[in-house]
Structures are given as C-alpha cells and as structure tokens.
Amino acid sequence: MGLWLLLLLPACAPRATKPTVPAAPPAPAAPAVPVPGAVEALARWYLDAWARNDVAAQRQVLVEAPPDFDAQHARWRQDLGVMASRFDPPTLESQTGTAAVVRFHGVHTLRGLGDWEVESRLRFELRGRRWGLRWTPEVFHPNARPGDRFGRTRSWGPRAALLDAGGKPLTLPGEVIRVGVIPGRVRDRAAVANVLQAQLGVDPARVLAALNAASAQPEKFLPFIDVRQERYQQVRAVLTPVPGIFFRKVPARLTPAEGFAAHTLGRVGEVTAEVLQALGPPYQPGDMVGLSGLERAQERALAGLPSGEVRLQRRTGGSEVLYRFAGEPGRDVRTTLSRGVQAAAEAALADVSRPAALVAVNKETGEVLAVASRPLGEGWHRALMGRYPPASTFKLVTAEALLESGLTPDSRVECPLEITVGRKRFRNFESEVLGTTTMRRAFAMSCNTTFIQLASKLAPHALEDAARRYGFGVPYDVGLPSPGATFPVTDDAAERAAAAMGQGRVLVTPLHMATVVSAADTGVWHAPRLLADADAGPESLLGPGTSESLQDLMRAVVTEGTAKSAANIIGLRGKTGTAEFGMDVPPQTHAWFVGVRDGIGFAVFVEGGGVGGRVALPIAVRFLQALDTSGALTSKGDNAS
C-alpha cells in the first residue's frame, strides 16, 4: 500500500510550473498517392487555422512561404477591420499528379459593415511526398495580385427625425456652440470656473479637475457644454473677455427650443464604450449615436445601416471595388407628443427650482402628449422613472373601490382627527376635523381618517382589485423605461390603512398618475405610450357607473376643497396630494396635483416640495393657462380631444 502512495503522490500534487502556450499541431500531410479527400482535408485544416487567426499554423502548410506572410495577414485584417472569418467545407476543383486546386467559400465579418462573402481558391503542389499550399494574395480574393492592398470605406446616411403627433419634426440637423477651455491660455483658473458656473451652470469642481488633469497638454481644447445660438448670444459678452475660454461650432440635433422634451427626446453624441457594447454590430468607435431618451431607444430605426465598399488598391495605380454594402436609410419615428402641450409643460416648470415633473396624456387613449422632468441638467428622467408614494391622489383608487361597494358621493361618513389601526395612529393633515359629513366633502378636503375607516370595511382584496383596474402591478411598454406602479398585497391592518391613503409601499411614477386621473374621469384605464405607431397597451374598465361619481368628487376638490384656489379654471377636476417621506419629525413631503380638463389628464409632482395644494397646484394652473394662451388644444395635428 505504501508503494502505491509513493507512486501516486507526484501525479496528485505536481510541482507548480509556469503555464505554456501549446504549439500549433502539425499540419497533416496528404500522401503522394491520390487518396480521395486527402487534399480537401489539408485545405480544411488550413481554413480552420485561418478562421482562428493562427497564422503560425497556416504557415506550416505553405510551399516557399512569402517572407511577409504574417505581415500581409495582419495588414489585411487591419485595413478591412476583419473581426472574424468562417468557411464552408472546401471542394476539390481539380487534381493532377503534382497539382491540385481547391475552391472555398469564406465569410469575413467586417467591423461596422457586416459580412463580406468571398469565393476563391487554394492551389496545392506536390513536393517530394508531401502536398503544400502555394500561397498568393489570390487566396484573399481572386482579383488580388502581389503588391495590391485592400481598403474600405464606410459612412452613415442622414439620421432620421423624431416627429410629433402631427408628423412634424421635433429634431432637425443644425449647429450648437461648444464652450470650452484651452488650459495653456488660462490666467485665473478660479475665474474661469466661476464664470462658467454663473453663466451656464457648469460645475466648477469639474472645470478645475479637468484643468489639473490637462497640464501635459496645455493647448488641448477641453469642452464643457454645448449651447444653442440664442443662449450663446446671451452669454458671449461675459465669457469672451475671460482668458482661456474658447468657442467652437459643432453639428448637433436641434429641438424646437432649448430644453424642449430634453429627457424624452434625448441626445446624440459619440458612442461610449458602454453603449457600443450594448448596440453591438454594425457600430464601431467614433460613430455618432443616440445616447439617451428616444434617440437611444430608437437608435436602430433612426440611424439605419451604414453603407461602404471593399476596395482593392492596385500596386500599379488605381483601384477596384470588390464589394458594396448598400446600407439602409434611417426611418422617421413618430411620437405621440403634442408640440403645443409640451411647450405649455415646459413653460409651467420654467421657474421651478426643485426636482419636478409634469406629464400630460390623452385621457381617452393613454397617448403621452407632454412629459417634462427637472432639473434639465440631470440625466435621470424623473417623470418616467421616479417612483414615489402618491399620497391622497391615490384616494381616486380608494374612492372607486368604495363607490363599487355601494357608497355614493352623498353617503354620510365620519372624519375624526385621528384613528388607530393595528396599533398605529393615523392623523389628518394639518389636524383637519370634519365630524359627520358627506363622502364628497371628505374627498374634497382629503380626510385621511374617513378613507382609512371606509377602506377597512371593504371586502377582502377589494382595494387591491381596484388598484389593479387602475394599472397598479400591470406591466406596460411606454417606449422608454418606466417601472409603472405597485400596490402591496398584505394582511397587515396598519399597512392596509396606509395604503388606502397612498402611503406605505404604494409607489407610482408621475406618468402613471396621469393615467390614473384620466381613468377616474373616463371609466377606462389605458396604459401610456409615447410612440404613435406602437400597439395600444393594456387597458381595463373601472366599476360600472363609478366615473360619473368620481367626476363629481374631483370637481368638488376644485370648487370647495384643497384645490379651491383654482376654482376659476373652468372645467378643471382633480386631486391634491401631500406625500410624507423620510424619518424627519415632522416628515418631509412631496407635492402632487393630478387633474383632468379638455381631454387631457395630467400629473404635477414636486420632489420635497411641500403641500400639494400650495406647490403643485399653482404649477398645474400655469400649465393650463399656457395651454389656453397658445391655443395648443385646437391647433392642427394635436391629438388631444
């Protein structure tokens, strides 16, 4: 037994050695006698080595290999951008006693262009008792001769446009002014950083860090921000006198106005490593692509495919086109956005300093008419991606469940100061007490305790079912990423009480709340969508007859409730919301207002803004006033009824 252990130990525990790359296996030698398939086997071996870019293995097969064989292969790959090659099984074309010709079909994938198919030949000679390949550039292509060189061209066609709902372009080719700094010309770094911040909002820390990192290239232009011509004219007189600040004109995609639907439409720029990896073929470094928004989501349609040529540059002069990649033109993408409604949304948010969002949809279809997020300089699309507790705006859902259970706007209800559920105490906002009142009045004044009491008496899962009818937990595709809304399924009494007033684990995007208020008004929930030609998404019916009562309740909010400061806005119906978050005492609050008027359902949200009726409602009023002033709802091509 001991002997066996001694013999086995070296095999079980070998001494660590430096790994070595295995040498290429020797090429099989086809015998001199004409054995069927022998030359084809040698050809297959050569083509397999070529496919894996094993030039050393390829060379083993050659007869009198050219001294620059390796260099020719490297140049061929580099000049054409060959990423991969694959070959069909070769076929013997002819064979005599000392010569054989094998035909083969190859497919070479060229970076940024696609597949180039080539039919060519391998010519074998018998030397002694071994066959060998007499290699010439003909192997690359039948037309190639010694000294010729391969080349390529590649270009993208004009990028197609994003269109509004009426088919008019929202994106057009134009120019912007790129504002930057040449480090070697700077006299006062702090002055440069401060003026760029004051005039254009550029982070001074970013400017100083870039200047510090550029010490080795003092004459390199460092870009910091692109501005439209109109903005450049406003700041030029202040920026020009500052030593080190320079300007350059660069081509750009322009929208109807600066910041117009910026997060939604997105931007175009040189492809990043991350985007390049996600896009894959036919993209390559240096390409201009959509980097965000619909420009990114619709990149394939808008860009089309690049065209190009494979060319053979003759040693004796001139060139020959060996292959053409036809490419494809980009296709315009029509959105559901209304130019006028979007402009009104931008105007309403113009002076809002806090993070905010405004979304408007066609209440009958769910088509998104306008969507705006603030701040503009932040890449995150808060209107579509931000999920927050809806607070009292969720009472639209709770009210629908109560109406479905048999209550009416005139039903008598109680509104005490506070109520305890599951050992958790709930109070009305700002200590509201209505006593015995109507459901209409409790909804208008947003009495939390009323809706908690009434929701607790609903049948099991009645509130969850109502939330589902409003699209909570329903997946849909807007055209850009948006997570929708969630409603907790729980047996915990306190959590259910919080959910009934839109707190706890109830979460919505501003986009989704625009569809909720639309559904309350029409009786049908429609999933939102941004692309005009996309299929309609999910939809669901509210309880029969509940929409008329919900219209009554929402109008009461404006005429006698928490939104009565907007009572002069004819036809406005809606709901305010003040959503608590965080651990502060008293807690911080987000401000909400959701409303319906003239065929539009909309949501206004201000992150950490405070009270909905005092902060979000005035923004909603400015939005509606801008719509009235512009006549956007009656303009040709508008898709809001």
Side-chain angles (χ1 to χ4, degrees):
M1 186 65 178
L3 178 60
W4 282 106
L5 286 173
L6 288 173
L7 291 173
L8 290 171
L9 278 173
C12 296
R15 186 176 62 182
T17 59
K18 184 177 180 179
T20 59
V21 178
V33 293
V35 176
V39 176
E40 295 100 303
L42 189 60
R44 280 196 299 273
W45 191 93
Y46 177 84
L47 294 174
D48 288 345
W50 188 358
R52 63 178 185 269
N53 195 25
D54 189 346
V55 182
Q58 290 173 260
R59 202 186 313 108
Q60 292 182 26
V61 183
L62 304 188
V63 172
E64 298 176 2
D68 63 344
F69 177 76
D70 292 22
Q72 287 197 57
H73 262 273
R75 188 164 57 241
W76 173 80
R77 286 185 176 277
Q78 180 177 347
D79 291 348
L80 291 178
V82 178
M83 300 176 64
S85 298
R86 61 186 187 274
F87 301 94
D88 293 339
T91 58
L92 184 66
E93 184 176 281
S94 64
Q95 182 174 350
T96 65
T98 59
V101 178
V102 175
R103 180 184 294 273
F104 71 92
H105 172 261
V107 180
H108 308 296
T109 301
L110 308 189
R111 180 181 293 107
L113 285 173
D115 288 344
W116 173 38
E117 298 190 31
V118 179
E119 294 274 354
S120 196
R121 293 174 175 83
L122 301 174
R123 301 184 184 277
F124 291 91
E125 297 179 4
L126 184 62
R127 291 295 184 95
R129 296 189 59 80
R130 290 182 178 272
W131 288 95
L133 173 63
R134 172 68 69 177
W135 189 92
T136 70
E138 178 192 18
V139 174
F140 288 139
H141 191 277
N143 295 7
R145 299 294 179 264
D148 293 348
R149 186 159 181 169
F150 290 87
R152 56 178 263 169
T153 63
R154 179 177 179 272
S155 62
W156 291 90
R159 190 174 181 87
L162 291 167
L163 309 177
D164 67 12
K168 296 180 181 179
L170 292 172
T171 52
L172 292 169
E175 284 185 337
V176 295
I177 306 301
R178 182 158 292 169
V179 182
V181 174
I182 296 180
R185 314 289 180 88
V186 174
R187 295 179 188 172
D188 186 336
R189 293 188 172 194
V192 169
N194 291 337
V195 75
L196 289 178
Q197 179 190 34
Q199 298 298 316
L200 297 173
V202 179
D203 183 358
R206 176 180 160 221
V207 176
L208 295 174
L211 290 173
N212 291 334
S215 57
Q217 296 176 293
E219 294 302 310
K220 181 181 179 181
F221 178 77
L222 304 178
F224 286 108
I225 190 171
D226 293 343
V227 297
R228 296 166 69 110
Q229 280 283 353
E230 54 267 31
R231 182 66 178 139
Y232 167 67
Q233 295 300 332
Q234 294 172 353
V235 302
R236 181 180 62 174
V238 178
L239 297 181
T240 300
V242 181
I245 295 181
F246 289 84
F247 313 95
R248 292 182 178 177
K249 288 184 179 180
V250 295
R253 297 261 280 183
L254 299 182
T255 55
E258 186 170 6
F260 184 94
H263 293 85
T264 304
L265 299 180
R267 65 187 182 92
V268 174
E270 186 172 337
V271 66
T272 64
E274 180 182 5
V275 173
L276 182 61
Q277 182 177 8
L279 288 173
Y283 293 87
Q284 66 180 29
D287 284 346
M288 300 297 289
V289 302
L291 297 176
S292 62
L294 289 172
E295 293 280 14
R296 172 71 178 86
Q298 295 296 314
E299 167 62 27
R300 299 283 185 174
L302 295 168
L305 292 174
S307 60
E309 295 177 343
V310 176
R311 305 185 69 90
L312 191 62
Q313 307 294 329
R314 294 297 185 188
R315 179 179 61 85
T316 56
S319 65
E320 176 187 353
V321 176
L322 301 180
Y323 188 79
R324 283 190 173 91
F325 292 90
E328 292 180 10
R331 304 189 310 276
D332 291 342
V333 174
R334 189 163 65 96
T335 72
T336 60
L337 294 176
S338 161
R339 190 183 298 248
V341 180
Q342 182 68 41
E346 305 287 355
L349 293 176
D351 298 326
V352 177
S353 59
R354 298 195 66 89
L358 195 159
V359 183
V361 303
N362 184 321
K363 72 174 188 178
E364 302 289 348
T365 65
E367 293 172 316
V368 179
L369 305 177
V371 53
S373 292
R374 292 295 185 274
L376 284 173
E378 182 179 84
W380 194 48
H381 203 345
R382 178 171 280 99
L384 301 188
M385 291 298 294
R387 290 213 290 186
Y388 308 91
S392 291
T393 61
F394 186 80
K395 287 172 184 165
L396 291 167
V397 179
T398 307
E400 196 268 346
L402 296 172
L403 293 168
E404 177 74 355
S405 72
L407 271 68
T408 71
D410 294 320
S411 295
R412 306 299 291 177
V413 297
E414 297 296 325
C415 176
L417 171 63
E418 63 182 42
I419 187 172
T420 300
V421 179
R423 291 188 290 184
K424 182 176 176 61
R425 187 174 64 175
F426 296 89
R427 293 174 60 91
N428 290 327
F429 185 68
E430 296 185 333
S431 302
E432 186 79 57
V433 179
L434 301 178
T436 302
T437 185
T438 63
M439 183 178 172
R440 179 186 296 104
R441 178 69 175 161
F443 186 89
M445 299 305 297
S446 203
C447 180
N448 291 334
T449 55
T450 296
F451 283 85
I452 290 172
Q453 290 179 87
L454 295 176
S456 67
K457 300 174 183 177
L458 288 169
H461 306 299
L463 195 54
E464 290 92 334
D465 292 343
R468 186 81 179 178
R469 291 193 289 273
Y470 276 99
F472 283 74
V474 178
Y476 50 77
D477 182 5
V478 182
L480 285 176
S482 187
T486 60
F487 183 85
V489 177
T490 178
D491 293 327
D492 183 84
E495 188 170 18
R496 290 179 61 82
M501 50 184 270
Q503 291 283 170
R505 291 191 291 138
V506 183
L507 295 173
V508 297
T509 63
L511 170 66
H512 194 86
M513 279 312 303
T515 70
V516 167
V517 73
S518 297
D521 196 71
T522 65
V524 183
W525 177 80
H526 297 276
R529 58 189 175 98
L530 264 169
L531 301 177
D533 297 326
D535 294 335
E539 62 180 46
S540 55
L541 298 175
L542 302 191
T546 57
S547 63
E548 290 184 6
S549 294
L550 288 168
Q551 290 173 6
D552 180 7
L553 297 178
M554 289 191 291
R555 184 57 185 162
V557 172
V558 177
T559 57
E560 60 184 89
T562 55
K564 64 183 177 182
S565 63
N568 62 320
I569 305 295
I570 297 173
L572 175 63
R573 299 183 289 274
K575 185 71 187 76
T576 58
T578 303
E580 296 181 353
F581 71 98
M583 303 301 292
D584 292 352
V585 180
Q588 300 180 69
T589 55
H590 302 309
W592 285 96
F593 181 77
V594 298
V596 178
R597 197 197 69 162
D598 293 336
I600 291 180
F602 63 91
V604 177
F605 171 80
V606 182
E607 187 172 315
V611 180
R614 299 170 194 163
V615 177
L617 179 61
I619 297 172
V621 171
R622 291 201 297 272
F623 169 62
L624 297 173
Q625 289 172 338
L627 284 177
D628 292 340
T629 301
S630 67
L633 296 185
T634 58
S635 61
K636 185 179 180 180
D638 204 309
N639 58 347
S641 58

